[in-house]
Amino acid sequence: MGKVVVVTSGKGGVGKTTSTAALGAAVARTGKKVALVDFDVGLRNLDLIMGAERRVVFDLVNVIQGTAKLSQALIRDKRVETLFLLPASQTRDKDALTEEGVGEVIDKLRSVFDYVFCDSPAGIERGAQLAMRFADEAVIVTNPEVSSVRDSDRIIGLLDARTVKAERGEQIAKHVLVTRYDAARAARGEMLSIDDVLEILSTPLLGIIPESQDVLRASNLGSPVTLSDPTNSAARAYIEAAKRLEGEELPVVVPFERKGFLDRLFGRRAA
Amino acid sequence: MTFAAPVETKSIRFRARSFVAFTLTPEAPLSEWLESLDRWIGNSPGYFAGRPVVLNLNTLKPEVGQIEALVAELGLRGIRIYAIELDGNTALESNLPPVLIGAKEATAGLLMQADSKGRPEETDRPEEAGRAEQGKQPQDRQPEAPATLMVKTPIRSGQSVFHAHGDVIVLGSVASGSEIVAAGSIHVYGTLRGRASAGVLGHSAARIFCRKNEAELLSVDGWYCTAEEMEPSLRGKAVQAFLEKDTLRIAPFN
């Protein structure tokens, strides 16, 4: 039985889809069978990030409504043969998803794949709640900013209340993934520190992804950064986070800015 | 051939249940009372949204004709009146909310409401928490549980803890965008970043204690202080909030 991991955040634009693609690809590279499911019906993006937008025939809504078989809708990645994508429908909206339908699809995926990553839409409404509904674990993507952290806190509350696992009285395993971490801005005190984020969310840390132009470039090229440029600092951080997700114990290193002579002379400024 | 399904004759059962509602007691002069209500709502937007509110008119004793205007006035502020308390007036016009009699101060135990389902786990041992056991018959009730609600998990943004029976103890932190409403005192052993209202059913000796004060609003028995009004030196400190001669005082622990 595979593990179902929801990648969620509450707030939009923090890097859920990018992180889903990067983590999924990193796990699949080790030979595990991985399915990425785009739950953002109506605003799908994961196909673009994965570079599979020209191969989409059927989607999640087709499978739920029975107009296509799961095997027809799954798109195999061209680079990693154990990596699959189940795209969302762009022409429908989230009302096309039913709880029973999603449950059946997830159950089937769980029996075939080692890992099922569900890319949640932003918000706390129906789409986001269905994406987390059947999850065993959750990756909460957070930017080191107050608005993002507060929204993540809200999502953690929902994870503890509205998932099938929580309703059975079990704990859903939760991990915080801090993305777009800018060491220079953090040093100037312009962002929340990692300690602040973890203190507010009181949830263990999965990794810290540094802000990097390469992530954006990889997304535009339709390739997760962990496949296109695995030596890049953001890619390395994602690969390490994926290992932690699989249970490996690796210490998290907070990215730091190499200080120049002048910085050292004037010390740290607090904003 | 088709047959119509036989009509099932189910007997209808009525059951009496009690609920906790907030009571608003307007005072004369009404315009001033409405003004202070507006100030309160301005500081706590959405406080009354979806909450059952009962209008107690025994202090104001308005003419029957004025009641409708008052209910409408409150409706404009998003306060929906579920019922009216008015002694000696058992029947009002049918367009007005029904009259309630025989009110008791709330002792209904714990009501936990967090946007319908998003409620935090109360405790590992529910019998400690003094929670209202829904659907449980009175005869198999445990010996009177202590009236303190202990919340062992952090209270997340958007969650709301309402305890109409006594004190609330939170072992973790209370997130920005969450709230605790208690009839007694509130103790937060983590950081208090949300809103805390103690003594809400008119208990002026209630206090709020927290290890680290980053609160959005502190209130005791209706007297409140917003983050903006708080002394900056009190932020981030261990503090307690209490009433002293009808003023809310916030004092640090040394």
Side-chain angles (χ1 to χ4, degrees):
Chain A
M1 285 291 266
K3 225 183 240 179
V4 179
V5 182
V6 60
V7 181
T8 186
S9 70
K11 194 170 161 63
V14 295
K16 282 182 296 297
T17 304
T18 309
S19 298
T20 306
L23 286 175
V27 174
R29 263 183 9 139
T30 65
K32 297 260 168 48
K33 281 192 84 177
V34 175
L36 309 179
V37 186
D38 192 348
F39 271 86
D40 207 347
V41 177
L43 291 167
R44 76 170 184 221
N45 281 157
L46 190 56
D47 55 328
L48 292 171
I49 308 276
M50 294 298 296
E53 73 276 12
R54 288 144 63 95
R55 298 198 283 144
V56 176
V57 183
F58 297 110
D59 55 51
L60 178 61
V61 172
N62 294 134
V63 178
I64 286 177
Q65 294 181 338
T67 48
K69 276 190 263 173
L70 184 57
S71 54
Q72 292 176 300
L74 281 167
I75 303 171
R76 185 194 287 266
D77 190 84
K78 284 187 172 168
R79 295 148 297 207
V80 184
E81 63 168 16
T82 54
L83 182 58
F84 290 80
L85 167 70
L86 180 56
S89 170
Q90 181 71 351
T91 51
R92 311 295 295 269
D93 62 32
K94 274 130 193 135
D95 295 335
L97 299 178
T98 59
E99 188 177 326
E100 302 77 52
V102 171
E104 275 173 34
V105 172
I106 295 285
D107 274 347
K108 274 187 214 156
L109 289 170
R110 205 198 289 266
S111 63
V112 179
F113 289 92
D114 297 315
Y115 277 91
V116 180
F117 286 92
C118 302
D119 182 23
S120 171
I124 53 171
E125 283 77 34
R126 189 180 165 76
Q129 292 196 11
L130 280 174
M132 70 169 66
R133 184 81 185 130
F134 302 96
D136 303 307
E137 298 197 14
V139 173
I140 299 115
V141 182
T142 301
N143 292 164
E145 280 155 22
V146 277
S147 56
S148 173
V149 171
R150 189 207 264 184
D151 290 0
S152 294
D153 195 62
R154 182 87 166 89
I155 276 289
I156 294 172
L158 291 179
L159 284 165
D160 283 336
R162 306 254 177 118
T163 51
V164 169
K165 240 185 150 176
E167 284 175 6
R168 280 204 305 254
E170 295 167 38
Q171 272 282 327
I172 175 164
K174 300 177 289 284
H175 317 268
V176 169
L177 183 67
V178 178
T179 56
R180 313 193 66 171
Y181 183 82
D182 187 331
R185 286 185 58 212
R188 288 197 299 270
E190 292 171 9
M191 286 190 321
L192 284 180
S193 74
I194 296 293
D195 287 345
D196 288 343
V197 174
L198 296 182
E199 206 258 313
I200 293 172
L201 297 180
S202 46
T203 301
L205 182 64
L206 185 68
I208 305 166
I209 314 299
E211 172 85 302
S212 161
Q213 290 302 311
D214 300 309
V215 176
L216 200 65
R217 200 175 311 128
S219 294
N220 286 331
L221 289 174
S223 170
V225 70
T226 43
L227 294 184
S228 66
D229 188 5
T231 56
N232 163 271
S233 63
R236 286 206 312 268
Y238 271 123
I239 290 169
E240 284 186 7
K243 285 182 182 163
R244 287 185 203 104
L245 196 62
E246 289 191 78
E248 211 171 301
E249 289 200 10
L250 288 170
V252 183
V253 181
V254 179
F256 63 92
E257 181 85 338
R258 251 176 251 283
K259 278 193 176 178
F261 170 71
L262 280 176
D263 291 319
R264 235 174 278 157
L265 206 60
F266 292 114
R268 237 165 87 159
R269 275 181 299 155
Chain B
M1 252 173 96
T2 51
F3 293 94
V7 182
E8 272 187 41
T9 46
K10 253 188 186 168
S11 64
I12 302 170
R13 293 198 301 170
F14 293 99
R15 281 202 289 177
R17 299 179 74 174
S18 54
F19 299 86
V20 177
F22 285 80
T23 313
L24 274 180
T25 312
E27 289 163 22
L30 196 58
S31 58
E32 264 176 43
W33 183 82
L34 283 172
E35 240 173 65
S36 57
L37 181 69
D38 283 339
R39 264 202 309 282
W40 164 254
I41 293 173
N43 281 308
S44 324
Y47 186 82
F48 291 104
R51 292 215 159 124
V53 177
V54 172
L55 193 59
N56 181 355
L57 296 176
N58 286 327
T59 310
L60 189 66
K61 293 198 172 52
E63 302 284 315
V64 178
Q66 295 172 334
I67 298 177
E68 193 175 342
L70 179 59
V71 170
E73 193 75 41
L74 292 170
L76 287 177
R77 290 163 172 81
I79 303 173
R80 213 175 122 208
I81 302 299
Y82 283 60
I84 289 174
E85 253 190 290
L86 184 54
D87 290 345
N89 233 318
T90 39
L92 291 173
E93 285 170 60
S94 58
N95 58 341
L96 285 174
V99 171
L100 276 185
I101 43 166
K104 278 183 255 166
E105 284 304 311
T107 49
L110 158 78
L111 263 181
M112 245 187 162
Q113 21 163 255
D115 65 329
S116 71
K117 271 201 257 167
R119 54 184 69 184
E121 295 270 297
E122 293 93 342
T123 166
D124 300 336
R125 284 182 290 167
E127 67 271 18
E128 277 182 0
R131 58 194 288 208
E133 309 269 34
Q134 284 182 347
K136 219 174 174 188
Q137 298 303 311
Q139 53 263 35
D140 57 44
R141 194 165 268 176
Q142 306 277 319
E144 198 59 44
T148 302
L149 168 68
M150 172 121 53
V151 183
K152 292 181 176 169
T153 53
I155 296 179
R156 304 288 181 183
S157 184
Q159 291 178 334
S160 162
V161 172
F162 174 47
H163 186 43
H165 205 51
D167 292 4
V168 173
I169 298 176
V170 184
L171 297 185
S173 290
V174 179
S176 152
S178 67
E179 66 174 350
I180 304 175
V181 180
S185 296
I186 297 171
H187 312 253
V188 180
Y189 287 93
T191 306
L192 174 56
R193 297 190 178 85
R195 312 156 65 91
S197 304
V200 286
L201 302 172
H203 181 47
S204 57
R207 294 189 177 207
I208 300 168
F209 306 87
C210 65
R211 274 262 294 267
K212 196 173 174 198
N213 167 37
E214 299 287 350
E216 290 164 352
L217 176 139
L218 297 175
S219 119
V220 175
D221 189 17
W223 301 86
Y224 63 89
C225 180
T226 60
E228 202 175 273
E229 296 159 356
M230 259 175 240
E231 195 67 43
S233 64
L234 296 168
R235 308 297 288 177
K237 298 271 168 53
V239 301
Q240 59 166 325
F242 54 97
L243 285 187
E244 201 175 67
K245 294 183 193 123
D246 279 355
T247 356
L248 185 66
R249 255 199 74 197
I250 303 170
F253 287 111
N254 295 317

